[in-house]
Amino acid sequence: MVLTQPKTTAPRDPTKFPAAQLALLALVRVAEPIALTSIFPYAWQLVIDFKVGDRANASFYAGLLISAFALAESLTGMFWGGLSDRMGRKPVLIMGSFGVVASLIIVGFASSFWMALFGRFLGGALNGNIGVIQTMVAEIVTNPKHEPKAYAIMPFVWSIGVTIGPSIGGYFATPSNNFPGSLLDNELFRRFPYLLPNSICATLMVISILAGWLCLEETHPEMRSDTTSSPVTDERTPIQSRIPRTSMLITGPMSMPAVDLTHPESYGTFTRVSEEAVEEEWNVRPDGSAMPAKNNETSDPKCFTRRVAMLMVALGLFTYHSMTYDHLMPIFFQDERIPAGAPTMTTAIGTQYGSLAGGLGLTIQQCGIILAFNGLIAILIQGIVFPLVASLLSIWRIFIIVTVLAPIAYFLVPWLALLPENLLYPGIYAALFIRNLLSILAYPVLLILIKEASPSNRLGKINGMASSTGAACRTLASPIAGLLYGVGVRKEFTALAWWASALVAVVGAVQAVTTIHQARSGPQHEVRPVGRCAFIPDAEEGRGRKESVVRIRVGEDSGYASEDHDELTPFATRVPRG
C-alpha cells in the first residue's frame, strides 16, 4: 500500500523543535472540528425542512443528528487505535480524513433526515483521528523540553476549528435564501440547501489530506525510515512514557479537545501544566538496578478509588450539561420570538419583545456569526484568563468555584428572550462569556484532579474509563436536551430545557462539595503559560516549591517477587502516589 511505504528521510535533529511536521499535523487537525461543528447552526432547521416532525420535536431529532458522530466515534476509536499500531499512523489518519469527507458529501446531498443521520454516523465510525493525532504528537516530539509548546498546539488548533466551522455552516447554509439573485441562487442549491457549507468543509478536508499524504512523515517507531532518530531522555523519564501508544482519549464538551492523561502536558489548554515535586521511595539492589516491591507491600494500588470514582462522576455531569448548552444554543437562537400577549400564547411570562415560550428569532446566518464569536471568546479565555486565574488560585479552589457557579450559565439564557432589540446582542455575548469562563476553567482542572488522584501505573485504564464516561454523556446530552426543549415548546415554556441543565449543574455542585475533598498529600500541579506573561511571575519568582525527596532503600532480592517488574521498570512508576 502506498501510504505504508516509508519515504527515505534524513534523521531528525531531536534538539530542534519539529515545527514543519506539527504544522502539517495541525492542518489535518483543524479541518476535523470545522467539519464536525459546521452542522451546529443549521441542524435544527434541517430537521424542520425534511419535515421529520414539527417545531416541538425538531430539537430532539437535531440532537440525534449531532450526537451520531460522537457515538460512532466512541464505538470505533479503540479499533482505529489498534489498527494504527499495526498498520502505521499515517494511513489510518488519511483513512479517517476520507471518512469525514464521505460524511460531509452524504449530508450535503441528503434528501431525507435519515440519510443525513447515516452520513453523520458513518463519519464518526470511519474517523479515529483524535487518538491517532495525539499519539503522533507524542512520537514527533522526542525532546521533553518541547512538550509543553507542542501539546498546546492541538488544543489551539481545535479552538480555531470550532470557531471557523459554525461560521461556515451558518453563513453558507441555504444560499438561495441568503444570496438571492447571485450565482449561488440556482437549482442545485435550492434542491440541496445544505450542500454548499458541506462542500466547503469537504474541500478544506481534501486539502489537508493532500498535504498530509505528500508531506507528513510516518511516526510509528517501527515504521519510520529515519530509525537513527531517537528520543531525548534522561534518568527522570519513565521508560513506558518513551513509547507512545494509541489510546482512548477523555472527551469533554464540543468546544474543548479530547485529552490523553498519559500525555497530559496541557490538559486540553494552551498552557503548561507541570507536576510539583513529591516524596518517592526507590527500592534498589546493591548493583543499582531496580528491585520489585515485596508481595505484602502495596505495589498494585487500587485503580478506581473513591476519589477517582467521584471525580469521574463530576466529569460525567460536567460533560453532560456542557454539551446540552452546545446543542440548545443554536436552537434557542433560531426559534421564533413570541411576545407576551400573542394570540397563540397562554403563558404570562414575557414582555412586548418576547417571552419564555419561544426563542430569539435569529436567522441561520446570524446564529453562525454568533457561534464564531463564541469560539473567539473561548480562545481568549483559554489563552489569557485560564493561566492567569490558575496561577493566582489553586487547582482545587478553581474546581469548587466554577462547579458551584455553573448553574448560573444555564439559568440566565432563557431571560434573553425578554430583552429589547438594542440589548439583545450585548446580552447574548455576556451570557456566552459567563458560560465559556466557567466551562473552560472547569474542564482542565477536572482532568488535573483525576490525574493527581490516579495511581501512575493505572493511567491508561483510568483514561479509558474517563473517555467512555465523557463519550456516553455527550451522546445522551443532545437528544435528552432536545426532547426537553420539545416538551417546553408544547408547554409554552422553552426555559424548561435550560433549567433542567441548570438542575444537573446544581447536582454536580452538590456532589463536588459533599463527596470530593481536597487532597492533603500526593502530587500537586501548577499551571504556567507556554510563553512569558507580564501578569504571571516566573516559577522561580513565584511561591516556593518543595524540593523532591527520594528515599533510596538498598536491599537483596530475598522475599521479593519478580513477576510484575524488572530492571527496566522506572522506579517512580512503582511507588503509588497519593
Side-chain angles (χ1 to χ4, degrees):
M1 185 176 178
V2 176
L3 293 177
T4 59
Q5 294 177 354
K7 296 185 294 184
T8 303
T9 57
R12 190 165 56 235
D13 185 357
T15 62
K16 293 182 179 180
F17 187 75
Q21 287 299 299
L22 286 176
L24 289 168
L25 205 56
L27 181 62
V28 178
R29 183 63 166 141
V30 75
E32 185 178 356
I34 290 175
L36 180 63
T37 61
S38 64
I39 197 174
F40 276 33
Y42 63 80
W44 183 71
Q45 188 61 47
L46 180 147
V47 173
I48 294 177
D49 289 346
F50 285 142
K51 297 180 174 57
V52 178
D54 55 16
R55 171 174 166 261
N57 54 25
S59 55
F60 170 73
Y61 289 104
L64 293 179
L65 195 62
I66 290 175
S67 63
F69 193 100
L71 173 62
E73 195 173 36
S74 65
L75 294 176
T76 61
M78 291 291 287
F79 167 77
W80 291 112
L83 186 64
S84 74
D85 289 336
R86 300 188 302 271
M87 188 177 181
R89 318 297 185 204
K90 183 175 176 179
V92 172
L93 184 70
I94 299 299
M95 285 189 291
S97 300
F98 271 119
V100 175
V101 172
S103 171
L104 292 167
I105 294 174
I106 292 173
V107 173
F109 282 103
S111 56
S112 68
F113 167 79
W114 303 109
M115 183 176 177
L117 182 64
F118 169 75
R120 292 283 293 178
F121 189 87
L122 180 67
L126 296 178
N127 179 32
N129 288 358
I130 291 180
V132 174
I133 287 177
Q134 190 80 359
T135 303
M136 292 182 74
V137 172
E139 292 169 338
I140 289 174
V141 181
T142 57
N143 191 332
K145 294 180 180 179
H146 297 156
E147 288 177 353
K149 184 186 297 185
Y151 279 95
I153 290 176
M154 294 307 154
F156 177 75
V157 168
W158 178 272
S159 298
I160 294 294
V162 298
T163 301
I164 298 175
S167 63
I168 293 176
Y171 193 78
F172 293 104
T174 62
S176 297
N177 297 334
N178 294 333
F179 308 102
S182 67
L183 292 176
L184 300 177
D185 184 10
N186 55 55
E187 182 60 30
L188 178 64
F189 292 137
R190 281 192 290 269
R191 183 179 179 185
F192 303 106
Y194 306 104
L195 175 60
L196 182 58
N198 283 281
S199 299
I200 294 173
C201 293
T203 301
L204 294 175
M205 201 78 213
V206 169
I207 293 173
S208 69
I209 290 173
L210 290 175
W213 182 26
L214 296 174
C215 304
L216 189 64
E217 299 174 5
E218 174 60 61
T219 64
H220 194 295
E222 298 177 2
M223 301 179 186
R224 289 182 55 86
S225 57
D226 57 333
T227 54
T228 58
S229 178
S230 59
V232 177
T233 59
D234 55 32
E235 67 277 2
R236 296 170 298 176
T237 307
I239 291 177
Q240 288 94 331
S241 67
R242 306 173 200 172
I243 310 174
R245 296 177 182 270
T246 308
S247 63
M248 293 182 65
L249 300 175
I250 296 175
T251 53
M254 196 65 70
S255 58
M256 298 290 287
V259 176
D260 186 352
L261 285 182
T262 59
H263 297 289
E265 282 75 7
S266 67
Y267 291 87
T269 68
F270 312 157
T271 53
R272 180 174 72 250
V273 183
S274 57
E275 184 176 308
E276 290 187 343
V278 295
E279 295 186 4
E280 298 178 352
E281 183 176 287
W282 295 355
N283 295 318
V284 298
R285 299 185 179 96
D287 62 0
S289 60
M291 186 163 55
K294 294 181 180 180
N295 289 332
N296 58 359
E297 292 184 0
T298 312
S299 60
D300 190 14
K302 184 179 179 182
C303 181
F304 293 103
T305 62
R306 183 180 183 277
R307 182 174 178 81
V308 171
M310 291 299 101
L311 287 169
M312 290 287 181
V313 172
L315 177 67
L317 291 171
F318 164 74
T319 302
Y320 174 86
H321 65 68
S322 189
M323 187 63 194
T324 62
Y325 197 108
D326 291 334
H327 175 61
L328 291 173
M329 180 170 50
I331 296 174
F332 179 72
F333 286 173
Q334 296 173 59
D335 198 4
E336 62 179 313
R337 202 170 193 185
I338 305 176
T344 59
M345 180 178 161
T346 60
T347 181
I349 306 178
T351 67
Q352 59 178 322
Y353 306 106
S355 68
L356 299 187
L360 303 184
L362 303 179
T363 65
I364 296 178
Q365 266 192 333
Q366 291 171 322
C367 181
I369 293 172
I370 291 173
L371 292 180
F373 276 102
N374 180 57
L376 293 177
I377 293 172
I379 291 174
L380 291 176
I381 292 176
Q382 288 187 59
I384 299 175
V385 178
F386 174 71
L388 179 61
V389 173
S391 66
L392 298 176
L393 301 175
S394 67
I395 297 297
W396 173 255
R397 287 195 186 99
I398 295 175
F399 169 64
I400 293 298
I401 291 172
V402 298
T403 304
V404 170
L405 296 180
I408 297 176
Y410 304 91
F411 180 77
L412 291 177
V413 176
W415 301 105
L416 295 175
L418 278 59
L419 294 177
E421 293 291 339
N422 62 324
L423 295 179
L424 182 58
Y425 277 93
I428 289 174
Y429 289 119
L432 292 178
F433 179 83
I434 293 172
R435 185 270 171 146
N436 278 297
L437 180 64
L438 295 175
S439 67
I440 289 174
L441 291 180
Y443 183 54
V445 299
L446 258 172
L447 301 184
I448 292 172
L449 289 174
I450 292 175
K451 172 69 183 304
E452 289 178 352
S454 305
S456 58
N457 61 340
R458 290 293 183 267
L459 273 180
K461 189 173 183 179
I462 292 174
N463 188 61
M465 181 62 186
S467 299
S468 300
T469 301
C473 292
R474 277 180 58 185
T475 301
L476 293 174
S478 295
I480 293 176
L483 184 64
L484 291 174
Y485 192 88
V487 173
V489 168
R490 295 188 184 93
K491 301 296 183 182
E492 296 184 349
F493 189 68
T494 54
L496 174 65
W498 289 104
W499 291 350
S501 295
L503 180 60
V504 175
V506 168
V507 173
V510 173
Q511 184 261 346
V513 172
T514 58
T515 66
I516 305 174
H517 305 289
Q518 185 174 10
R520 300 299 179 184
S521 61
Q524 303 291 320
H525 289 72
E526 67 170 6
V527 178
R528 314 295 304 175
V530 173
R532 295 184 63 87
C533 179
F535 300 102
I536 304 176
D538 291 334
E540 294 78 7
E541 300 172 0
R543 58 183 174 82
R545 295 180 59 192
K546 299 185 303 181
E547 293 185 355
S548 295
V549 177
V550 181
R551 298 185 176 88
I552 301 177
R553 184 169 60 189
V554 181
E556 299 295 338
D557 286 349
S558 177
Y560 287 83
S562 59
E563 58 184 11
D564 295 326
H565 303 291
D566 55 31
E567 67 277 2
L568 297 179
T569 306
F571 299 129
T573 62
R574 303 176 203 173
V575 182
R577 300 181 178 183

